[in-house]
Amino acid sequence: MKCALGLFGTSVQAHPGRTDSNGGHTCRTNCEKWGLSYGQYHYHNNGSTSSGSTQSKGAPDAPTNKTVTEQVVQKKVIVAVDQAPVRYSPNEASQVAATLWYGYGVSDLSGATDGYVNIDQGYLAKTLLVEYVVSKPSTVTIATDKGYFFSIPDSTSKARGSANKGTIVHVVGEANGFYYGSTVDGNGDVLVGFVSKSVVK
């Protein structure tokens, strides 16, 4: 009697990434391609681990999709000087095409060339920019006699002005122990910049 053995292939679609001890992981690459949302936690192998072992007793029979909510850190890049020259080409000798003011938001840093960022108006030197982490809008109060506002989150940088004790500051971001926000100074002028967390409450 002759026996014929045949091998039949099974088509399995999987995406990259190791699974954890629960047999699942969080999607971080090409999630939409696999029908998932970015950051979505999901299972593989019907709830078994990546090594193929089955779930331990007490685990649910069918895997459930659970989404792990991760806080996404949103950063913002702004002009850090009062008058930032935007040039026609990425070099200091190039003619100025436009001038941007302090606090102007620069949305895309991906096109950086030789220390310059390519924006709609032309090329802007990266040394004229500063970055902060966007926070939920809130208010703080100046707790010292004067609270100085700086161009960048560094007390040795240029002071843009000061606000008196008791002045409310509207905060929209933070960086390196400083809040980024705005207030009205003693002269009634709007003051924008970085104020140290050590001088507010």
Side-chain angles (χ1 to χ4, degrees):
M1 178 183 291
K2 293 184 179 180
C3 291
L5 294 176
L7 297 176
F8 297 93
T10 305
S11 175
V12 176
Q13 288 191 341
H15 59 268
R18 293 185 176 185
T19 56
D20 59 21
S21 61
N22 295 320
H25 67 160
T26 302
C27 185
R28 300 254 187 258
T29 307
N30 299 324
C31 303
E32 291 178 359
K33 177 180 174 183
W34 305 105
L36 301 168
S37 300
Y38 179 83
Q40 181 177 352
Y41 184 91
H42 60 281
Y43 293 95
H44 287 269
N45 303 329
N46 293 327
S48 64
T49 62
S50 58
S51 63
S53 61
T54 57
Q55 290 179 315
S56 60
K57 285 189 174 183
D61 292 336
T64 58
N65 282 346
K66 59 182 177 180
T67 301
V68 177
T69 304
E70 293 182 1
Q71 184 176 3
V72 177
V73 176
Q74 182 183 358
K75 295 182 179 180
K76 186 168 183 179
V77 178
I78 60 169
V79 171
V81 295
D82 288 331
Q83 294 184 337
V86 180
R87 302 188 182 275
Y88 284 109
S89 59
N91 65 67
E92 187 90 17
S94 177
Q95 191 174 4
V96 175
T99 302
L100 301 179
W101 59 93
Y102 181 84
Y104 182 90
V106 177
S107 59
D108 186 13
L109 296 181
S110 61
T113 305
D114 297 327
Y116 283 79
V117 177
N118 187 358
I119 61 175
D120 290 340
Q121 298 89 337
Y123 292 89
L124 182 61
K126 288 179 76 174
T127 57
L128 303 178
L129 303 173
V130 66
E131 182 179 74
Y132 66 85
V133 175
V134 176
S135 63
K136 183 178 178 181
S138 62
T139 58
V140 294
T141 305
I142 301 294
T144 56
D145 288 340
K146 280 192 176 185
Y148 288 92
F149 284 67
F150 298 95
S151 297
I152 62 174
D154 181 348
S155 59
T156 62
S157 68
K158 178 186 175 186
R160 299 182 50 75
S162 64
N164 295 326
K165 185 174 185 176
T167 303
I168 294 174
V169 180
H170 299 276
V171 174
V172 294
E174 55 187 275
N176 301 330
F178 284 74
Y179 286 120
Y180 177 73
S182 63
T183 191
V184 176
D185 67 14
N187 298 322
D189 296 323
V190 175
L191 180 59
V192 180
F194 291 90
V195 61
S196 174
K197 291 182 178 182
S198 66
V199 301
V200 299
K201 61 179 179 180

